Amino acid sequence: MSLTRRTLLTAATAAAAAPVLAPLGTTRAPEQIVLAAGTATAQPTQAALNARNRFDLTAEPVDLFGGEIRLAQGKVHQQVAFDPVTGLAYVTQILSNGRQLADEPAPVPVSERDRRGDLCVNEVAPDGTVRAVMYLRGVGHGGGLGVEHVDGRAWLWLETDADPVAGGGFAYGKRVGRVAFTPDAIVDAGSADIEVFDPTPGASHVTPALDLEHGRIAVRQKVLDAEEYLVYDLEAFKRRSFTPLYRFPPMYRTQSWCLYGDLLYQNEGNPYSAANPLPGNSWWNVYDITTGHLIERRFNTTALGLSHRETEAITVRRTPDGPQLVFGFATREPGPRLMTLFGITATTDGTGDHVPWTNLDHPKLYTPVNSTYTPQYRQVGNRVDLHLRLSRTDGGPWTSGETVLTLPPHIRPNRTQGLIGQVTGSGVSGPLTVRWEVLSNGSLLLFDERLITGWVGLDAGYFTS
């Protein structure tokens, strides 16, 4: 069934009476899950949910609202989630600078909102208009959000109980909270209106994600500077039985994330800048939660033409065509930020998985030997592989210690690492190899004292950490 860009949310609402659920995957043999501490957790009782729940990240996404929309606050949106019955979207934001709520004696600067963790939750209609807002003070940064529909109301799952940050910065929650969405309400952390869950006392940077289709909740948290994901049975979690079904560490930083079946989706990326020019550095990362393995890392080429494109928000929702992966970008800078959301419904079985190569910018002083040798990289985990073969455009000799190109920030190592490359055999005496170094500032340097005038190449890898 073909869906237009603007009617997709409306279609979800119409389908609420007969929701389409994702089919379960084939059952896998039980396997023991090894925890970070070396102990083992109990086996999950429900059948494992495999690649039939996997979205095809190469598919063409649809634009959910037909363009960028304005939310209640001027700040960047953080996360989005959808009511599974009404189809309404809920979106978190830090409050705008100088916003004064009904019970506040004076306007509050945004730096104070940031350091306390004061959020606005927008309720968004299918046409992209904000129907209602709710305010939650002292809860966190809003990076995690889930929505249940219970007794005719939307119930929000999000972080809560943030500790204010001394000296400024962003406050993050240290527990999971559940609260009924109430238009115009102002609710403070610690209020009886928020049901609190504390699966890991002492944790920080806590964000939750719901997978209602498969009866699970996941929590991302930091303990002693070590981050990890933990996946629980939702009903057990509500009973405060906090034994995880699975747990594993992330391999990459994240802007937002979500859980669906046996897969966890992350997105990451920064806005365009001099250090991060078009096409940017927006990536999807897909994990198999049963093993913790990264099974796909794919560059996100959606909406490259946005003037400001900051990766934010990712979730899964119901549509008449089945589950849909929804993701988005914060746009416009300067000025009040806007939100744009996209959706992918197509699925894949993962056949032919591979991590694609991405082109690297290089100075015009150098020319690839041919299109096959354009500078490229690919990243799997903390390993980065480089591929290039370049000649000097001016025909002059290569100098030892010459900076050939600068790597983007997200693939720079934390220390200098050496690599061995190749050199053309024409007119070269001695070994047909050259030495390269990659520095923590991203500089890729060539070292050779022979004043080579032919091409130099590199097919080697290094580790970011």
Side-chain angles (χ1 to χ4, degrees):
M1 161 175 160
S2 175
L3 298 178
T4 65
R5 298 190 311 173
R6 191 173 284 277
T7 59
L8 204 48
L9 279 174
T10 305
T13 304
V20 180
L21 305 184
L24 294 182
T26 55
T27 303
R28 297 185 215 167
E31 53 186 341
Q32 191 176 47
I33 308 303
V34 180
L35 305 185
T39 59
T41 185
Q43 303 304 316
T45 56
Q46 45 185 308
L49 311 169
N50 69 5
R52 292 175 67 186
N53 292 312
R54 183 168 175 179
F55 296 98
D56 183 359
L57 301 181
T58 67
E60 183 69 21
V62 295
D63 184 336
L64 266 61
F65 296 115
E68 300 155 90
I69 65 170
R70 175 75 185 271
L71 299 172
Q73 309 298 312
K75 298 286 286 180
V76 170
H77 73 281
Q78 297 297 321
Q79 181 58 306
V80 62
F82 291 83
D83 186 310
V85 174
T86 67
L88 295 172
Y90 294 83
V91 188
T92 56
Q93 291 179 290
I94 294 287
L95 271 67
S96 295
N97 186 43
R99 183 60 56 93
Q100 181 179 0
L101 301 184
D103 64 346
E104 294 172 341
V108 179
V110 70
S111 58
E112 182 68 9
R113 300 294 190 190
D114 288 341
R115 78 167 205 92
R116 293 192 323 209
D118 293 355
L119 294 182
C120 168
V121 181
N122 301 260
E123 183 183 73
V124 183
D127 64 357
T129 59
V130 176
R131 289 167 38 110
V133 296
M134 179 180 184
Y135 302 99
L136 298 163
R137 291 185 299 211
V139 295
H141 196 58
L145 183 65
V147 180
E148 280 185 294
H149 190 96
V150 180
D151 296 331
R153 302 184 71 183
W155 288 77
L156 311 176
W157 288 79
L158 73 175
E159 64 193 283
T160 192
D161 296 349
D163 289 326
V165 179
F170 293 115
Y172 296 92
K174 59 180 183 285
R175 300 181 181 92
V176 175
R178 180 176 181 266
V179 61
F181 181 84
T182 306
D184 299 322
I186 303 170
V187 178
D188 291 300
S191 164
D193 291 332
I194 303 178
E195 185 179 8
V196 177
F197 303 85
D198 193 11
T200 307
S204 65
H205 291 71
V206 170
T207 55
L210 287 186
D211 177 9
L212 296 176
E213 303 290 358
H214 305 108
R216 290 172 173 173
I217 183 172
V219 176
R220 181 185 172 103
Q221 65 183 27
K222 182 183 288 187
V223 178
L224 300 176
D225 293 327
E227 294 187 356
E228 65 177 342
Y229 291 108
L230 301 97
V231 181
Y232 304 87
D233 176 83
L234 179 57
E235 291 305 315
F237 191 92
K238 289 180 177 180
R239 298 193 303 269
R240 292 175 170 73
S241 175
F242 298 132
T243 300
L245 304 174
Y246 309 103
R247 67 193 304 171
F248 61 94
M251 298 180 67
Y252 297 96
R253 61 178 292 272
T254 184
Q255 289 294 99
S256 52
W257 64 280
C258 66
L259 174 70
Y260 194 73
D262 273 354
L263 301 178
L264 186 145
Y265 294 83
Q266 279 182 327
N267 63 11
E268 58 168 308
N270 304 103
Y272 294 144
S273 66
N276 181 41
L278 183 75
N281 62 356
S282 184
W283 290 85
W284 284 299
N285 302 308
V286 185
Y287 298 83
D288 180 337
I289 65 170
T290 68
T291 63
H293 292 162
L294 181 75
I295 60 172
E296 186 175 8
R297 176 169 167 80
R298 189 168 296 278
F299 192 72
N300 186 347
T301 60
T302 307
L304 292 177
L306 291 171
S307 59
H308 183 88
R309 179 177 179 266
E310 186 172 354
T311 306
E312 300 286 353
I314 189 168
T315 191
V316 175
R317 66 159 187 159
R318 296 175 176 179
T319 78
D321 286 352
Q324 181 182 63
L325 182 70
V326 175
F327 62 95
F329 303 96
T331 69
R332 184 188 286 183
E333 171 70 11
R337 300 301 185 88
L338 304 179
M339 177 182 77
T340 181
L341 294 181
F342 300 87
I344 292 174
T345 306
T347 58
T348 177
D349 62 3
T351 301
D353 277 355
H354 69 284
V355 178
W357 289 91
T358 301
N359 287 345
L360 287 165
D361 290 332
H362 62 279
K364 293 181 179 179
L365 177 60
Y366 312 113
T367 303
V369 173
N370 57 50
S371 61
T372 304
Y373 293 105
T374 297
Q376 295 179 316
Y377 77 93
R378 67 178 179 183
Q379 183 178 20
V380 179
N382 68 342
R383 179 181 170 89
V384 177
D385 291 303
L386 299 177
H387 168 75
L388 60 88
R389 189 172 292 184
L390 298 172
S391 298
R392 288 183 64 98
T393 305
D394 61 6
W398 295 88
T399 59
S400 190
E402 186 169 340
T403 298
V404 176
L405 55 81
T406 302
L407 302 173
H410 66 285
I411 61 169
R412 295 175 183 176
N414 63 356
R415 63 185 183 279
T416 297
Q417 295 186 48
L419 306 93
I420 299 298
Q422 317 89 35
V423 62
T424 179
S426 176
V428 174
S429 61
L432 299 181
T433 57
V434 289
R435 185 169 68 87
W436 298 78
E437 284 187 359
V438 57
L439 310 185
S440 59
N441 66 3
S443 298
L444 181 64
L445 280 58
L446 172 71
F447 292 91
D448 197 283
E449 303 289 346
R450 292 175 288 177
L451 298 177
I452 297 164
T453 57
W455 59 259
V456 295
L458 181 62
D459 286 282
Y462 62 91
F463 294 95
T464 56
S465 61

